[in-house]
Amino acid sequence: MLTIMILLPIAAAFGVLLAGGRAGGAGAKLARYVALGVTLVELALGVALWVGFDSANPGFQYRERLPLFDPWFAWSLGIDGIALVLIALTVFLMPLCILASWESIHKRVPEYMAAFLLMESLMIGVFAATDLFLFYIFFEGGLIPMYLIIGIWGGARRIYASYKFFLFTLLGSVLMLLAMLWMARAAGTTDIPTLLTHDFPSGVQTWLWLAFFASFAVKMPMWPVHTWLPDAHVEAPTAGSVILAGVLLKMGGYGFIRFSLPMFPEASVDLVWIVWALSMVAVVYTSLVALVQADMKKLIAYSSVAHMAFVTAGLFAFNRQGLEGAMIQMLSHGLVSGALFLCVGVVYDRMHTREIARYGGLAETMPRYALFFFLFTLGSVGLPGTSGFVGEFLSLSGAFQASSWLVLLMTTGLITGAAYMLYLYRRVIFGAVTNPDAATMPDLSAREYAVLAPLGLAVLYMGIHPNPIIDPIRAPVGRVLARLEAAGPPRERIERARAAAVRQAEAALTPVAEARAETNR
Amino acid sequence: MSLPPNIALTAPELIIGLSALLLLVTAVFRGDRSLAAVSWSSVVVLLGAGPAMLGQPERAFAYGGLFAADRFAQFLKVTIYASAAVSIILAVPALRRTAQGRFEYPILILLSVLGMSLMASAADLLTLYIGLELQSLALYVLAAFQRSDTRSSEAGLKYFLLGALSSGIMLFGISLVYGFAGTTQFAAVHTALGGHALALGALVGLVFTMVGLAFKVSAVPFHMWTPDVYEGAPTPVVAFFAAVPKVAAMGLFTRLLLEAFGGAQDRWQAIVAFMSVGSMFLGAVGAIGQTSFKRLMAYSSINNVGFALIGLAVGGAAGAASVLFYMAIYVVMTIGAFLAILDLRDPDGRQIEDIASLAGLNARHPGLAAALAFIMFSLAGIPPLLGFFPKLAVFRAAMDAGLYPLAILGVVASVVGAYYYLRIVKTMYFDEPRTAFGPRLSTVNGALLLASTAALSPLGWLALSPLFAAAQVAAGTLFPR
């Protein structure tokens, strides 16, 4: 089943490339319909996957294993609840992406569709792989189509952005590769379910954790390695941004919850201060940066960095609320920021600018659009009733149990978040129509309805009734928590580490204090 | 029918050597018209030489221990013969078009392959030297093959002068080793020098011998000739240069250091590691500013040799296996890249060598651009393409042996190197077309390009297990129990 889900888009991509190259204009049309059809089939398969999934089982399901490539890796697939919801997110967003690029992409359509289909395969592969190196292959392989998507169909500075995206993420990942090689030797297997119960020596865990952190922090992205994201988002075509924000960023969070936390529990707890510090900086700093952006996409990109910081804070709270909240926040962010990028794409298609100042008063000309935009703005702000609220509230309440200082700073992000989103909304939708071009823009077309309505419904559904989504992740989250507890209760370890740090700081400062006392005397 | 063991064990070399002479004599009578016939016969000879090794024992010596026929040599020879055969095929249309349809080209390749074959089987410092010189002399001539072109003559001359110098240094090293060990056979050198600290003279001999080989594999700091020679030599010749002699020389390097100087690994490990790091970084950084595709490939080959040297620095059967595995896949990628480039002509039929001229290739020849992009991503070592696995192999060997700094420097260098491979993809796909391209010429080359691209795609994963198993068996015979 998972193999079919991975191979079908690849096969379709090749078909589209071969058929599309020959037929010219008709090829573009064919490519669009084939891509839409295949992504819808994938969606159906994803639904079937969810229906057949046993939420009570914390282990991996739908296991497949072909040891074809010994001694390198095995074609080994399987999903638990965490992977299930992320695959669901992927297959849900993909048809919308294809629809969103239906008219806005004119050149090299077959290649564009093929790149997106390849992307879908690789993303599903990342979440479904249960072999260390197979995971890495999918994880890295995604760089190639994304590089091409940004570079070929991107905006003015697309080449700079595509290089930056590629090299940043590659540099992060290669260190992880070395850590994987070490793990494979130490544990004697590359099977992820086996590795999840393997206890690595605590001294080495720190190094392994840091190597994985380098990769996932870039992917997530965390401050200060987030700088590729605004560039990539701004230059990528709309659907590329949706995939970047919706799914690619989730690979970082998925990596933390799949590898860092359960495989290196001791290091995760010991080094938690890194994550907390970076999350706090990210929330405060990127929210303020978002406030002053003049480009709509850039604003949303910076807001993504801030929202992903809630995810890391929740993940590294080491308790059930935090982890489940982080998962919900990831899904919610995938829907909401994807939808916001689509909203930007709708007006961009009409005006060909993303500059906020060029818009204004769209509420009069495009009332239906304004309604959808409002819904997603509220989702991004985290208003109760939308999915954003559930995610942010749960992850913050989890983080509060771990550290109240952390949450104190994080909550400022909620306020600034509301500020920049509502400010954006006011400037684009309300006010007087200043630009004559903006006055003539038509409201949403049927195709755009078809893109935005499912997202709106999903955001509302997750906000009002999130339990069906929490159900499958409950059991695997419990397993991660058990691993963390087995390594020593996180709270105590954190307290001990803090006490040790204070002692060290005091010891380091004693000579200074004495010297100062000397001089004062 | 049973042949004397000396003949049976050297059957492939005898076949190649005799056929080369025979073809030379025949072709002299028919002149340049015989290019195609001689080329295809040479291909047949090379493809026939491989099966001649069937039935050889796992490890045997011929001519009183001068010549080793073992799995290690067989692995190298199969790689060398196959890639040399492809190099001959891919050159035919180019040679014919430039009115340089000289029949000597395939014969020179055969002779250099004979030298490489001896290198792969060298079990004695003298066999090593003879093999190396035979292949080098043929390569010097090949570099200067386009006689009417001053750049080509310059390349040949440069190559010859520097090559002769390095051969001299190496010969001096060999004589020192002989002086201290009292023998030239690898196994006997190992017993004579192993077990206790290396005498200073023997150490100098070892270093000088390594210098000579480092020159042949173009490892830093003996790499300077590579970009110049590659730039000047005719493109089909460069395709051969960049791929095949590297395999033979890396194989010889591995065998020499592990078989003859295996006891002194603590002495040479640091040298090899230094050459490896230097080559990886210099190759990666040096390639960034290049505008000529051939110079870029020269730096790329320096870069790749650096990665392969990681495996050699690790030593042992695991390290040797990773070197063999690396080189086997490297050959496919390099030849593939040149197959694509050789197919690029401007409307006047001249070979395109500028990277800038590749701009917008995707619009004109989408298939060719896609194949070249595949190969570039593969050379950059991005999964899921096959080029990821040789890098994985050497990094794994280094991690398993605890050479963490080498592995970390290696991955960093691979990210730097990714930049210039990406630049080619960028030029082909993101830039607007500037030059016109002539029509593609050779269907045979096109088919070969398609085959190498398919091999580098995830379809090639199926070859991973058998190929690596073969490399392990081959490396295992260096360490008889």
Side-chain angles (χ1 to χ4, degrees):
Chain A
M1 177 93 167
L2 290 169
T3 305
I4 297 172
M5 283 186 80
I6 292 174
L7 293 185
L8 176 68
I10 293 185
F14 272 99
V16 163
L17 269 184
L18 291 179
R22 300 245 167 78
K29 199 171 170 191
L30 177 75
R32 288 189 184 113
Y33 279 104
V34 169
L36 184 64
V38 169
T39 48
L40 285 174
V41 170
E42 292 281 305
L43 178 59
L45 286 171
V47 170
L49 209 60
W50 193 305
V51 170
F53 190 83
D54 173 17
S55 295
N57 179 356
F60 286 84
Q61 304 174 33
Y62 297 105
R63 294 291 318 256
E64 293 172 31
R65 190 179 169 79
L66 278 175
L68 270 181
F69 314 112
D70 276 348
W72 299 101
F73 63 98
W75 182 262
S76 164
L77 303 173
I79 52 171
D80 62 0
I82 297 170
L84 173 76
V85 291
L86 289 168
I87 290 181
L89 177 69
T90 311
V91 294
F92 178 68
L93 285 177
M94 276 312 290
L96 305 179
C97 284
I98 302 289
L99 272 181
S101 3
W102 202 261
E103 282 157 11
S104 55
I105 299 294
H106 309 293
K107 62 169 185 177
R108 306 195 201 169
V109 178
E111 286 149 311
Y112 181 86
M113 296 299 166
F116 267 88
L117 288 169
L118 273 184
M119 206 64 222
E120 177 165 29
S121 286
L122 293 168
M123 290 185 303
I124 296 174
V126 166
F127 299 129
T130 48
D131 181 285
L132 211 50
F133 290 109
L134 190 64
F135 168 81
Y136 184 82
I137 287 169
F138 285 127
F139 190 79
E140 285 284 281
L143 294 184
I144 298 177
M146 204 61 212
Y147 172 74
L148 296 174
I149 288 172
I150 298 176
I152 301 180
W153 296 278
R157 290 173 70 232
R158 60 185 202 271
I159 289 168
Y160 170 76
S162 61
Y163 274 130
K164 196 168 177 182
F165 162 76
F166 197 102
L167 296 176
F168 252 72
T169 24
L170 183 63
L171 184 61
S173 316
V174 288
L175 294 174
M176 175 171 80
L177 178 66
L178 293 185
M180 286 179 164
L181 286 168
W182 198 94
M183 289 160 69
R185 187 190 49 146
T189 177
T190 55
D191 188 45
I192 289 177
T194 319
L195 285 167
L196 282 174
T197 55
H198 186 89
D199 294 310
F200 292 100
S202 31
V204 186
Q205 276 196 16
T206 310
W207 293 106
L208 297 176
W209 188 89
L210 284 172
F212 275 76
F213 181 72
S215 174
F216 299 142
V218 172
K219 205 83 175 182
M220 191 89 187
M222 293 178 79
W223 185 86
V225 285
H226 67 282
T227 57
W228 64 269
L229 182 77
D231 285 313
H233 266 321
V234 169
E235 300 307 329
T238 303
S241 297
V242 175
I243 285 301
L244 257 178
V247 187
L248 284 188
L249 302 192
K250 306 302 169 289
M251 290 182 186
Y254 175 74
F256 279 129
I257 201 167
R258 169 71 75 236
F259 297 96
S260 301
L261 291 177
M263 287 188 195
F264 323 121
E266 294 173 40
S268 296
V269 177
D270 292 344
L271 298 172
V272 70
W273 52 272
I274 299 181
V275 181
W276 285 358
L278 294 184
S279 304
M280 287 190 276
V281 175
V283 163
V284 175
Y285 169 77
T286 54
S287 298
L288 291 177
V289 172
L291 208 49
V292 296
Q293 292 305 315
D295 182 309
M296 286 200 253
K297 267 186 152 180
K298 221 166 193 168
L299 191 152
I300 301 170
Y302 277 109
S303 84
S304 287
V305 182
H307 282 131
M308 294 317 276
F310 287 109
V311 175
T312 44
L315 286 177
F316 284 82
F318 309 119
N319 51 42
R320 183 169 284 280
Q321 286 97 321
L323 283 170
E324 288 178 2
M327 283 304 298
I328 297 289
Q329 172 73 355
M330 282 206 274
L331 296 174
S332 153
H333 176 263
L335 297 174
V336 170
S337 72
L340 284 171
F341 279 118
L342 288 168
C343 284
V344 175
V346 166
V347 285
Y348 182 79
D349 287 346
R350 290 168 172 70
M351 288 257 290
H352 298 285
T353 177
R354 296 180 301 261
E355 228 176 294
I356 298 172
R358 299 284 302 281
Y359 294 95
L362 293 189
E364 291 175 25
T365 51
M366 302 173 71
R368 297 190 181 85
Y369 172 74
L371 179 69
F372 274 111
F373 200 1
F374 190 59
L375 173 64
F376 299 128
T377 303
L378 293 184
S380 176
V381 170
L383 206 78
T386 62
S387 59
F389 172 74
V390 183
E392 286 181 4
F393 182 77
L394 271 178
S395 49
L396 284 181
S397 68
F400 188 74
Q401 297 170 29
S403 161
S404 42
W405 279 106
L406 170 70
V407 174
L408 186 66
L409 269 166
M410 300 293 283
T411 40
T412 63
L414 291 181
I415 300 163
T416 38
Y420 62 71
M421 283 314 294
L422 293 176
Y423 186 44
L424 168 74
Y425 191 74
R426 186 189 71 71
R427 283 180 292 170
V428 173
I429 303 292
F430 295 141
V433 185
T434 47
N435 190 334
D437 291 344
T440 57
M441 294 205 304
D443 209 343
L444 296 180
S445 69
R447 178 181 61 82
E448 285 158 350
Y449 264 118
V451 174
L452 292 177
L455 281 166
L457 288 177
V459 168
L460 286 175
Y461 180 73
M462 268 182 72
I464 294 163
H465 188 53
N467 271 341
I469 291 126
I470 299 183
D471 279 338
I473 60 177
R474 201 159 270 151
V477 162
R479 216 176 36 160
V480 172
L481 287 172
R483 286 285 295 168
L484 285 164
E485 286 294 333
R491 252 198 107 66
E492 282 173 29
R493 286 184 68 95
I494 294 171
E495 292 296 334
R496 265 210 312 273
R498 185 191 292 159
V502 169
R503 267 200 309 279
Q504 263 184 0
E506 276 171 358
L509 287 174
T510 323
V512 180
E514 281 168 1
R516 189 174 297 155
E518 284 288 317
T519 49
N520 284 355
R521 203 180 306 141
Chain B
M1 185 183 80
S2 85
L3 295 163
N6 280 350
I7 306 266
L9 290 177
T10 54
E13 285 76 14
L14 292 173
I15 293 177
I16 294 175
L18 291 175
S19 325
L21 296 178
L22 203 67
L23 283 171
L24 184 60
V25 172
T26 340
V28 161
F29 285 106
R30 295 213 48 213
D32 287 347
R33 279 166 305 156
S34 57
L35 173 70
V38 176
S39 295
W40 287 104
S41 337
S42 308
V43 171
V44 172
V45 168
L46 285 172
L47 296 183
M53 288 186 291
L54 286 177
Q56 285 186 354
E58 194 165 305
R59 186 177 162 81
F61 291 93
Y63 300 108
L66 284 174
F67 185 97
D70 53 13
R71 295 279 182 264
F72 186 81
Q74 286 172 7
F75 186 96
L76 287 171
K77 284 179 196 171
V78 169
T79 318
I80 291 168
Y81 297 161
S83 42
V86 177
S87 312
I88 293 178
I89 299 173
L90 65 81
V92 175
L95 288 176
R96 217 182 258 159
R97 197 162 336 103
T98 48
Q100 298 270 339
R102 304 201 169 280
F103 65 89
E104 290 97 337
Y105 178 82
I107 293 168
L108 282 169
I109 292 217
L110 277 188
L111 288 173
S112 77
V113 166
L114 177 61
M116 292 177 211
S117 209
L118 284 176
M119 286 160 72
S121 278
D124 187 294
L125 290 168
L126 292 177
T127 326
L128 175 160
Y129 185 73
I130 291 171
L132 204 59
E133 281 306 287
L134 179 54
Q135 70 118 22
S136 298
L137 281 171
L139 295 184
Y140 302 148
V141 182
L142 280 173
F145 198 66
Q146 203 141 3
R147 283 187 303 200
S148 51
D149 183 356
T150 47
R151 286 193 313 161
S152 180
S153 314
E154 180 196 327
L157 193 63
K158 254 183 198 162
Y159 195 14
F160 173 68
L161 288 176
L162 288 171
L165 178 70
S166 79
S167 294
I169 292 175
M170 189 166 74
L171 212 48
F172 181 57
I174 289 176
S175 68
L176 277 174
V177 170
Y178 172 66
F180 280 82
T183 173
T184 52
Q185 286 197 1
F186 288 176
V189 169
H190 189 269
T191 2
L193 297 180
H196 50 84
L198 221 52
L200 183 62
L203 186 63
V204 172
L206 164 65
V207 172
F208 276 23
T209 321
M210 284 172 73
V211 166
L213 281 170
F215 178 87
K216 299 296 174 200
V217 298
S218 65
V220 169
F222 306 102
H223 64 281
M224 280 84 140
W225 59 275
T226 325
D228 290 347
V229 171
Y230 282 23
E231 190 185 17
T235 313
V237 175
V238 181
F240 180 68
F241 273 15
V244 193
K246 293 274 168 8
V247 182
M250 273 311 294
L252 179 61
F253 211 167
T254 311
R255 187 195 280 272
L256 176 76
L257 287 187
L258 296 182
E259 259 193 357
F261 299 103
Q265 190 176 355
D266 51 333
R267 313 306 289 272
W268 54 255
Q269 189 174 39
I271 305 178
V272 175
F274 166 77
M275 291 198 296
S276 158
V277 173
S279 309
M280 287 187 299
F281 277 95
L282 194 129
V285 175
I288 290 176
Q290 299 305 323
T291 52
S292 147
F293 187 81
K294 286 194 312 197
R295 282 186 84 89
L296 183 108
M297 286 309 285
Y299 282 101
S300 155
S301 82
I302 296 172
N303 180 246
N304 276 292
V305 161
F307 286 112
L309 283 173
I310 292 182
L312 184 54
V314 169
S322 70
V323 173
L324 291 179
F325 185 69
Y326 195 101
M327 294 318 285
I329 293 181
Y330 166 74
V331 164
V332 181
M333 296 191 286
T334 307
I335 293 192
F338 277 100
L339 275 168
I341 283 301
L342 276 169
D343 236 3
L344 288 175
R345 308 269 148 190
D346 62 13
D348 303 333
R350 274 193 303 270
Q351 176 71 50
I352 285 178
E353 287 169 4
D354 265 10
I355 294 173
S357 311
L358 293 176
L361 179 65
N362 173 52
R364 181 74 176 79
H365 293 305
L368 196 60
L372 194 53
F374 247 74
I375 293 164
M376 287 299 135
F377 278 123
S378 188
L379 276 167
I382 309 294
L385 304 176
L386 203 65
F388 166 66
F389 293 97
K391 290 209 167 80
L392 186 65
V394 291
F395 293 149
R396 183 160 86 169
M399 290 300 283
D400 287 357
L403 297 176
Y404 304 130
L406 200 54
I408 291 173
L409 288 171
V411 293
V412 173
S414 79
V415 175
V416 179
Y419 173 77
Y420 63 83
Y421 295 122
L422 281 184
R423 197 157 64 95
I424 297 194
V425 177
K426 171 228 151 200
T427 314
M428 291 189 304
Y429 277 86
F430 304 170
D431 291 354
E432 292 305 317
R434 266 187 293 174
T435 36
F437 296 99
R440 299 178 56 178
L441 292 158
S442 164
T443 44
V444 180
N445 283 7
L448 284 173
L449 180 60
L450 187 65
S452 57
T453 314
L456 294 176
S457 75
L459 292 178
W461 288 2
L462 294 172
L464 282 176
S465 287
L467 186 63
F468 193 68
Q472 275 177 320
V473 170
T477 55
L478 288 185
F479 301 90
R481 251 158 264 114

